[in-house]
């Protein structure tokens, strides 16, 4: 029994020794990390000082060069005895008395504005969790130094809040701009992550166009942008009627900007992301045109983007699913109708609906769906396709290589979903549910 107790004591002692050794290693690792971080920080500071000196030197040269052009040149030497200046005549100081200090002050202000904008973007992008994560990591490091985690975390969070309040008070415009950009980053990242998920849940949202599909020409792109802007105007008018008010020119200008941007973004096929972009852009543009961005701009932009993505995504997915389930004949008619719209926008007239064969130079015939004319002169042979599984026949592929006036139009269900989903998100009065968040501590009320 005594031998067992002795062995147990030796085991406990070895364990304590092992724990003590690990603690020493942890402390050494922490010290090495702090030294590396300090070295990196000093390197960054030296680089910043060097860059600042270079910028200041260049600014001094520019200021001195400008001053030399503005100030009068000294008069030529004369042999006549010059009179001493009258005591009542003030001595003119050169305009570039302290050019270095002015450039240095400007650089410091610009750096502070940029830092405030970056912190605002980080806060908006992470929904305020960035400050908590930073404070938490710092508190973990303090715990290894023997401090209490809770107290350290509270102190660091207080510092972060104080810095945010100082930014809102001293650099309100820069911080608000950064917050809006952070919300824009949220929309981009969320759309990139959820786009594949939406395509997986709604197969109708998939579909790759035929490689020979004719791209939109400038006239078609302009018409698409104009339709988006018109949808924005209709949406703003509907909002005015719903709220019994008359929108400002800034309201309608922002609606046009948002609708236009959303329509152009919808070309990529992600209607939810395009609708989110439309809502965000419209909100930011309206705030900008109605007096400038304010403390509520970022929150309004986020809610507008979320509402737009929800409405546009649901409507677009529902329409795409319906179109994907149409019978073959109905899909053929839909493809031809889309081609007729393209013909109209291009300024061409669609010929008789009866299809006639066209002989190919390399042999064989193709049967185009439509023929276009302009001023009575034949223009293009159009092959219309619709659906996720549509493809070209052998003769149709031959026509794309042998005929310069052969055009392939291929639309997929998500195109029709975008054509109806985006206007729905723009016209939908999403600001009915808009909250009016409180301004940040220290922020200037709009």
């Amino acid at each position: 029994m005594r031998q067992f107790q002795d062995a147990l004591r030796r085991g406990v002692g070895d364990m304590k020794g092992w724990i003590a050794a690990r603690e020493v290693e942890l402390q050494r690792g922490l010290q090495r990390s702090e030294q590396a971080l300090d070295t990196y920080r000093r390197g960054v500071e030296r680089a910043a000082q060097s860059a600042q000196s270079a910028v200041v030197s260049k600014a001094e040269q520019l200021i001195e060069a400008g001053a030399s052009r503005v100030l009068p040149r000294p008069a030529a030497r004369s042999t006549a005895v010059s009179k001493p200046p009258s005591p009542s005549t003030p001595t003119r100081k050169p305009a570039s008395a302290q050019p270095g200090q002015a450039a240095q002050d400007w650089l410091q202000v610009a750096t502070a504005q940029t830092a405030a904008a970056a912190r605002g973007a980080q806060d908006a992008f992470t929904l305020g969790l960035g400050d908590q994560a930073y404070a938490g990591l710092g508190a973990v490091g303090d715990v290894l130094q023997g401090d209490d985690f809770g107290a350290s975390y509270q102190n660091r969070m207080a510092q972060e809040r104080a810095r945010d309040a100082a930014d809102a008070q001293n650099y309100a415009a820069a911080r608000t701009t950064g917050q809006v950009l952070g919300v824009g980053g949220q929309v981009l990242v969320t759309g990139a992550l959820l786009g594949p998920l939406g395509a997986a849940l709604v197969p109708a949202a998939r579909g790759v166009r035929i490689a020979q599909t004719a791209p939109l020409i400038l006239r078609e792109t302009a018409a698409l942008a104009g339709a988006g802007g018109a949808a924005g105007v209709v949406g703003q008018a509907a909002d005015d009627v719903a709220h019994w008010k008359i929108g400002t020119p800034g309201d309608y200008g922002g609606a046009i900007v948002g609708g236009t941007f959303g329509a152009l973004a919808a070309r990529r096929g992600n209607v939810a992301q395009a609708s989110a972009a439309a809502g965000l852009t419209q909100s930011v543009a309206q705030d900008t045109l109605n007096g400038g961005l304010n403390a509520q701009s970022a929150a309004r932009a986020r809610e507008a983007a979320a509402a737009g993505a929800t409405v546009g995504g649901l409507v677009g997915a529902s329409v795409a699913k319906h179109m994907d389930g149409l019978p073959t004949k109905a899909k053929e008619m839909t493809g031809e109708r889309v081609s007729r719209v393209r013909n109209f926008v291009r300024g061409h007239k669609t010929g008789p609906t009866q299809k006639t064969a066209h002989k190919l130079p390399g042999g064989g015939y193709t049967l185009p769906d439509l023929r276009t004319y302009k001023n009575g002169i034949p223009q293009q042979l159009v092959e219309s396709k619709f659906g996720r599984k549509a493809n070209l026949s052998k003769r149709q592929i031959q026509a794309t290589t042998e005929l310069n006036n052969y055009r392939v139009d291929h639309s997929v269900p998500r195109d029709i979903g975008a054509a109806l989903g985006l206007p729905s998100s723009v016209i939908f009065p999403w600001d009915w549910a808009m909250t009016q968040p409180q301004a940040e501590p220290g922020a200037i009320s709009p």
Side-chain angles (χ1 to χ4, degrees):
M1 186 65 179
R2 181 174 299 175
Q3 293 177 354
F4 174 75
Q5 292 177 348
D6 293 340
L8 184 60
R9 292 192 189 95
R10 287 194 299 272
V12 173
D14 293 341
M15 185 177 295
K16 291 182 177 179
W18 183 87
I19 293 175
R22 301 291 81 77
E23 290 179 351
V24 172
E25 292 178 358
L26 181 61
Q27 289 291 340
R28 291 176 179 174
L30 184 60
Q31 291 176 358
R32 286 194 294 269
S33 300
E34 291 178 348
Q35 292 173 359
L37 182 61
D38 187 58
T39 302
Y40 174 77
R41 186 183 296 110
R42 287 199 299 269
V44 172
E45 291 176 353
R46 286 195 296 270
Q49 291 174 358
S50 300
Q52 180 175 347
S53 300
V55 172
V56 170
S57 177
K58 186 65 177 179
E60 290 177 353
Q61 296 175 6
L62 294 175
I63 294 175
E64 290 175 356
S68 64
R69 295 190 184 96
V70 175
L71 294 179
R73 295 182 179 180
R77 290 186 177 181
S78 175
T79 56
V81 179
S82 59
K83 296 182 180 181
S86 174
S88 60
T89 304
T91 303
R92 176 180 296 180
K93 294 184 180 181
S96 57
Q98 292 182 336
Q101 183 63 38
Q104 194 170 15
D105 292 343
W106 176 87
L107 183 61
Q108 290 177 351
V109 172
T111 302
Q113 296 273 12
T114 303
R119 286 191 290 268
Q122 173 252 314
D123 287 343
F125 184 81
T126 63
L127 297 176
L129 298 179
D131 290 346
Q132 298 182 17
Y134 181 81
L137 291 176
V140 171
D142 295 340
V143 169
L144 296 178
Q145 298 292 335
D147 295 339
D148 178 70
F149 177 83
S152 177
Y153 176 80
Q154 294 297 331
N155 290 335
R156 289 181 176 272
M157 277 302 300
Q159 294 174 4
E160 293 300 317
R161 294 192 184 98
R163 186 168 59 179
D164 291 344
D167 287 345
Q169 178 69 35
N170 302 319
Y171 309 107
R175 177 170 174 79
T176 300
T177 302
Q179 288 176 326
V180 171
L181 294 176
V183 174
Q186 276 185 332
V187 172
L188 292 176
V189 173
T190 304
L193 294 177
L194 297 183
L197 178 61
L201 296 176
V202 184
R206 307 173 197 166
V208 179
R209 300 188 200 281
I210 296 173
Q212 295 86 348
T213 301
L216 298 181
I217 62 175
L218 181 60
R219 187 166 178 171
E220 292 175 292
T221 303
L224 180 64
V233 172
V234 173
Q236 182 60 45
D239 180 73
D240 290 348
V241 172
H243 292 83
W244 292 92
K245 65 180 181 66
I246 299 178
T248 65
D251 291 337
Y252 280 91
I256 293 174
V257 172
T260 301
F261 187 82
L264 295 176
R267 294 175 56 185
R268 300 178 61 88
N270 190 333
V271 63
Q273 189 174 19
S275 300
L280 182 146
T281 308
Q282 176 176 337
S283 177
V284 173
Q286 287 180 336
D287 282 354
T288 302
L289 296 175
N290 285 327
L293 299 176
N294 51 67
Q296 287 79 28
S297 295
R300 284 176 50 83
R302 182 183 292 111
E303 293 186 3
T310 302
V311 176
L314 290 176
V315 174
S318 300
V319 172
K321 185 176 181 180
H322 171 74
M323 299 302 297
D324 192 50
L326 292 177
T328 303
K329 188 63 177 178
K331 289 182 177 179
E332 292 177 358
M333 294 178 61
T334 302
E336 292 183 10
R337 287 169 180 167
V338 173
S339 292
R340 288 177 181 274
V341 173
R342 293 194 68 179
N343 295 341
F344 175 78
V345 174
R346 286 171 173 243
H348 295 174
K349 291 184 177 181
T350 304
T353 56
Q354 184 178 0
K355 299 180 181 180
T356 56
H358 186 88
K359 188 175 181 179
L360 299 175
Y365 293 84
T366 185
L367 195 66
D369 293 314
L370 302 172
R371 295 171 182 261
T372 66
Y373 299 85
K374 187 173 184 180
N375 298 326
I377 301 175
Q379 297 294 315
Q380 291 181 320
L381 306 175
V382 182
E383 180 60 38
S384 304
K385 297 291 185 182
F386 181 83
R388 295 185 292 128
K389 300 179 181 180
N391 52 53
L392 296 177
S393 66
K394 179 180 178 181
R395 292 302 183 190
Q396 290 169 350
I397 295 176
Q398 179 184 348
T400 61
T401 59
E402 295 181 358
L403 301 177
N404 294 329
N405 64 336
Y406 190 80
R407 190 183 92 207
V408 176
D409 291 346
H410 180 208
S411 50
V412 290
R414 70 167 183 266
D415 294 333
I416 310 301
L420 297 178
L422 179 66
S424 299
S425 70
V426 175
I427 296 174
F428 182 80
W430 48 263
D431 61 345
W432 285 356
M434 288 289 289
T435 59
Q436 296 297 328
Q438 297 296 323
E440 294 184 74
I444 299 175
S445 301

